[in-house]
């Protein structure tokens, strides 16, 4: 009687764990879409600013999230199939994939956090030099476009303030045609509007671009880090559930073998 009760309880545990894992994998699959979406959003939403950064850590973190998100969606689907078929070999493969993706997302989260710590210093050292030395120079069209977009989107002028442009290669060259700042500093962009640097015409009192770009990137990095680490922790739960399910299936096989 006691043995029969124990067998029924084990079967009930297996069934409950099976459906719990199935629900988890569905949520896991949806989470993969969210992770991939965050990575794509990070690159698409003002992704052209990446050319203004000294290191590629920000972009690498986003690409890792996209890769991890794609793997999560594929693994989540395979996990559902493995749970339905109740094959220990498939579940073991799924368990290994969970651990691999866990490590990938953890790396993305850690990279985002580390880069977040050095972001301010990098922008201060690199952005000012990039804007004053490379703006409107031959072969630097992508940087020129990024700086123009940066100043218009964030309503700023210069790395720290509009006076930074006085030391730029572009403003001191004949190409500037006596402009005091690039036309992208103007509140209403028109040809040669940069010849007049009055606060009513340019973004002179709104602050420099370093502070605004730093805040923008910091917000994105926090989201990358939070999503990466959050989904990684969710995967640990899935790994524990999968290991438990594999163990229960192993016990059932042992019991069936001993009954023969």
């Amino acid at each position: 009687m006691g043995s029969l009760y124990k067998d029924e309880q084990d079967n009930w545990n297996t069934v409950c764990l099976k459906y719990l894992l199935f629900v988890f994998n569905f949520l896991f699959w949806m989470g993969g879409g969210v992770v991939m979406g965050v990575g794509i959003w990070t690159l698409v939403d003002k992704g052209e600013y990446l050319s203004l950064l000294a290191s590629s850590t920000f972009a690498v973190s986003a690409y890792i999230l996209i890769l991890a998100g794609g793997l999560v969606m594929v693994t989540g689907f395979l996990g559902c199939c493995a749970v339905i078929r109740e094959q220990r070999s498939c579940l073991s493969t799924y368990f290994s994939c969970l651990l691999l993706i866990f490590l990938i997302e953890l790396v993305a989260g850690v990279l985002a956090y580390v880069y977040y710590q050095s972001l301010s210093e990098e922008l201060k050292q690199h952005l000012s030099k990039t804007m004053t030395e490379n703006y409107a120079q031959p072969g630097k069209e992508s940087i020129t476009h990024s700086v123009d977009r940066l100043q218009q989107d964030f309503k700023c002028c210069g790395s720290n303030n509009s006076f930074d442009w006085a030391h730029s290669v572009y403003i001191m060259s004949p190409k500037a045609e006596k402009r005091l700042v690039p036309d992208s500093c103007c509140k209403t962009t028109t040809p040669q509007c940069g010849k007049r640097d009055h606060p009513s015409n340019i973004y002179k009192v709104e602050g420099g671009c370093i502070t605004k770009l730093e805040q923008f990137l910091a917000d994105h990095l926090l989201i990358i880090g939070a999503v990466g680490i959050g989904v990684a922790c969710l995967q640990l739960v899935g790994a524990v559930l999968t290991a438990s399910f594999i163990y229960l299936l192993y016990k059932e096989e042992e019991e069936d073998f001993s009954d023969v």
Side-chain angles (χ1 to χ4, degrees):
M1 183 72 178
S3 176
L4 180 62
Y5 173 76
K6 186 176 183 300
D7 288 342
E8 289 180 353
Q9 187 179 34
D10 286 345
N11 288 335
W12 186 84
N13 288 339
T14 303
V15 170
C16 285
L17 196 54
K18 176 179 179 178
Y19 285 106
L20 187 61
L21 257 176
F22 189 84
V23 171
F24 170 81
N25 277 296
F26 177 72
L27 296 174
F28 187 51
W29 180 82
M30 291 181 65
V34 172
V35 170
M36 182 183 288
V38 168
I40 294 172
W41 166 69
T42 300
L43 293 177
V44 171
D45 185 29
K46 301 180 176 64
E48 57 194 20
Y49 300 149
L50 297 178
S51 63
L52 302 177
L53 303 177
S55 77
S56 58
T57 309
F58 182 82
V60 168
S61 299
Y63 282 121
I64 289 176
L65 274 190
I66 294 173
L67 170 64
L71 288 175
V72 164
M73 295 187 74
V74 173
T75 304
F77 175 76
L78 295 177
C80 288
C81 296
V83 170
I84 292 172
R85 297 178 68 178
E86 295 187 11
Q87 290 185 342
R88 282 199 296 127
S89 58
C90 292
L91 287 167
S92 298
T93 303
Y94 170 65
F95 178 79
S96 302
C97 289
L98 279 180
L99 292 182
L100 175 64
I101 298 170
F102 167 76
L103 292 175
I104 291 174
E105 290 183 339
L106 199 60
V107 166
V110 170
L111 276 176
Y113 178 77
V114 170
Y115 187 57
Y116 176 78
Q117 302 300 311
S118 60
L119 178 61
S120 178
E121 193 60 34
E122 177 184 323
L123 287 177
K124 287 176 183 175
Q125 292 180 356
H126 186 72
L127 186 58
S128 179
K129 182 179 179 181
T130 299
M131 293 175 77
T132 56
E133 294 183 7
N134 297 326
Y135 184 84
Q137 299 306 300
K140 304 292 183 180
E141 289 79 12
S142 63
I143 290 179
T144 303
H145 177 72
S146 296
V147 171
D148 286 338
R149 180 78 186 273
L150 175 69
Q151 295 191 138
Q152 281 293 299
D153 285 353
F154 291 112
K155 303 185 188 309
C156 57
C157 184
S159 53
N160 295 295
N161 53 60
S162 60
F163 297 109
D164 292 336
W165 284 111
H167 309 291
S168 75
V169 175
Y170 167 67
I171 293 299
M172 291 188 291
S173 70
K175 189 191 301 184
E177 298 178 342
K178 298 183 179 179
R179 287 179 176 86
L180 299 174
V181 294
D183 292 343
S184 57
C185 279
C186 299
K187 295 179 178 179
T188 302
T189 307
T190 56
Q192 299 191 359
C193 63
K195 289 184 176 181
R196 181 170 171 265
D197 64 351
H198 192 272
S200 63
N201 184 51
I202 69 168
Y203 297 114
K204 195 166 188 174
V205 296
E206 285 79 4
C209 295
I210 285 180
T211 304
K212 296 186 177 183
L213 181 58
E214 179 184 351
Q215 186 60 52
F216 170 80
L217 294 176
D219 291 343
H220 275 62
L221 286 170
L222 284 175
I223 293 172
I224 290 175
V227 169
I229 294 175
V231 175
C233 292
L234 182 65
Q235 285 172 242
L236 280 181
V237 176
V240 171
L241 290 174
T242 305
S244 302
F245 190 53
I246 292 173
Y247 174 71
L248 287 176
L249 291 177
Y250 177 75
K251 279 183 62 180
E252 285 184 359
E253 287 181 9
E254 271 197 333
E255 289 170 1
D256 292 341
F257 181 76
S258 62
D259 290 340
V260 174

